[in-house]
Amino acid sequence: MLEKWLKKSSYTVVFTGAGMSTESGLPDFRSTKSGLWRTKNPQQLASTYAMQHNRDEFIAFYQYRIRALLECQPHIGHTILANWQTRGLIHQIITQNVDGFHQRAGSTNVIELHGTLRTVHCSRCKQTYDAKRYVDEQLKCTCGGFLRPSVVLFGEPLPHDAFEQAWTAAERADLWIVLGSSLQVSPANELPVAAKRGGAKLVIVNMEPTPLDDWADLLIHDRKIGEMLQEIDELL
């Protein structure tokens, strides 16, 4: 069914979440079995408050995440999506992930709703550096300002331009495919609703149920995304 919709759709959007990255070995945040937030309070580690008032733990948390990122690679699912984009089967990738795996696999014009962990930037002058500086304990800018990851922290809004571009894609979509998102984070989870209300078919692929499952035209649980995409790719 999905392969037929892909061939027919004039504007397909793929929306990826943490489940897309866990198949590369990165930990997720909200899964019931292994999510990081089961044992950690995000406000104490990944918030604007933590950056200001709990800086040692803030730094240690993001050093851990950057190290994990450097040890992992995009998986076959990322490669397939990049290939589909090249072939014109999908027209926009929107991600809640900050790992940059879509770009490393060859995708272009990826909308990153939550920023990127591939870089850090100065909280004072905004100069940008490679994130590896954090692992190397280089935590200050040449201007003396504190370097922070270029991700959206709890307490910060989503990047305005990125969300506007994503909303435009939602209004335009004929087919919206969710891959590995819990669809629990607002306002990002408003995007598939907007697409559905605009007439798009909604496909949700996620290991666990999501709050928007009742909205889906096709629902796939308990499947690895990479394997599922390989099966679809063989039918195209």
Side-chain angles (χ1 to χ4, degrees):
M1 183 184 298
L2 180 52
E3 69 275 8
K4 294 179 181 178
W5 291 351
L6 277 164
K7 290 176 181 178
K8 185 178 178 181
S9 172
S10 61
Y11 196 83
T12 296
V13 178
V14 171
F15 179 83
T16 65
M20 188 75 188
S21 297
T22 54
E23 292 184 25
S24 288
L26 288 178
D28 72 339
F29 293 94
R30 289 180 172 78
S31 67
T32 54
K33 293 182 180 179
S34 59
L36 285 175
W37 297 151
R38 287 179 62 254
T39 57
K40 303 289 186 181
N41 182 345
Q43 296 296 334
Q44 293 179 349
L45 296 174
S47 64
T48 52
Y49 180 88
M51 183 170 64
Q52 295 298 326
H53 303 288
N54 193 20
R55 186 162 287 184
D56 287 347
E57 286 192 62
F58 176 88
I59 292 168
F61 175 67
Y62 279 106
Q63 286 176 327
Y64 157 75
R65 290 195 61 196
I66 292 167
R67 286 192 191 99
L69 181 62
L70 293 173
E71 292 171 359
C72 296
Q73 301 290 331
H75 60 75
I76 186 63
H78 293 102
T79 304
I80 288 171
L81 291 181
N83 179 258
W84 288 359
Q85 188 180 34
T86 300
R87 293 166 60 186
L89 290 167
I90 60 176
H91 306 87
Q92 182 65 67
I93 295 174
I94 303 171
T95 188
Q96 295 173 283
N97 300 331
V98 295
D99 47 53
F101 285 168
H102 286 299
Q103 293 93 325
R104 286 173 60 183
S107 292
T108 57
N109 301 318
V110 178
I111 298 174
E112 295 177 308
L113 290 178
H114 295 154
T116 178
L117 200 58
R118 293 175 297 161
T119 63
V120 296
H121 67 269
C122 178
S123 54
R124 181 188 298 169
C125 75
K126 311 305 180 187
Q127 183 171 336
T128 300
Y129 299 87
D130 190 282
K132 193 174 182 298
R133 286 179 69 99
Y134 240 57
V135 177
D136 296 337
E137 301 288 347
Q138 299 178 51
L139 304 175
K140 286 195 174 182
C141 177
T142 53
C143 78
F146 174 67
L147 295 181
R148 52 155 292 178
S150 300
V151 298
V152 177
L153 303 175
F154 287 94
E156 293 180 326
L158 298 188
H160 180 267
D161 289 349
F163 191 73
E164 284 294 309
Q165 292 170 23
W167 193 265
T168 298
E171 292 179 327
R172 187 178 175 185
D174 295 320
L175 176 60
W176 186 283
I177 304 172
V178 176
L179 298 177
S181 174
S182 66
L183 299 176
Q184 294 180 29
V185 179
S186 180
N189 61 359
E190 297 171 12
L191 293 165
V193 174
K196 177 71 174 177
R197 285 178 172 159
K201 283 185 167 56
L202 176 60
V203 178
I204 298 178
V205 183
N206 197 55
M207 278 291 182
E208 299 177 353
T210 82
L212 299 185
D213 283 1
D214 289 343
W215 289 70
D217 297 281
L218 176 62
L219 191 60
I220 301 173
H221 288 318
D222 300 317
R223 288 294 312 276
K224 286 190 174 182
I225 295 168
E227 291 178 0
M228 188 275 297
L229 291 178
Q230 278 184 292
E231 291 177 10
I232 299 297
D233 191 51
E234 291 171 1
L235 297 172
L236 291 170

